[in-house]
Amino acid sequence: MGIKAKITETAEKVYDLAREGKYDVKVNLFSKKTHGDKASGIKVVSARDTAHTKKWRAKNR
């Protein structure tokens, strides 16, 4: 598998994760030095449900 195919496959997986809404996807490939942010790449964090979201989902099922 070539590098282009690997990048495409990874991008599709990240897109699917972001679209589901269960995960927060943060992409920081290029950062400015004025803000002091470090280029961290792709960060996938599980989105936690709030009490309101749990109640709303239970009500609308």
Side-chain angles (χ1 to χ4, degrees):
M1 181 182 288
I3 188 80
K4 184 177 178 181
K6 288 182 183 180
I7 292 172
T8 303
E9 184 178 335
T10 303
E12 289 173 354
K13 286 181 182 179
V14 169
Y15 177 78
D16 291 339
L17 286 175
R19 190 163 175 156
E20 283 179 9
K22 292 182 180 179
Y23 297 94
D24 292 330
V25 179
K26 298 178 183 179
V27 179
N28 185 15
L29 298 177
F30 306 105
S31 65
K32 297 181 180 179
K33 295 201 176 209
T34 57
H35 296 301
D37 292 337
K38 195 167 88 173
S40 61
I42 299 172
K43 187 174 184 180
V44 179
V45 180
S46 176
R48 296 182 62 195
D49 289 340
T50 61
H52 174 73
T53 307
K54 289 177 186 176
K55 183 179 176 182
W56 182 82
R57 285 186 184 160
K59 180 180 176 183
N60 291 321
R61 283 190 182 196

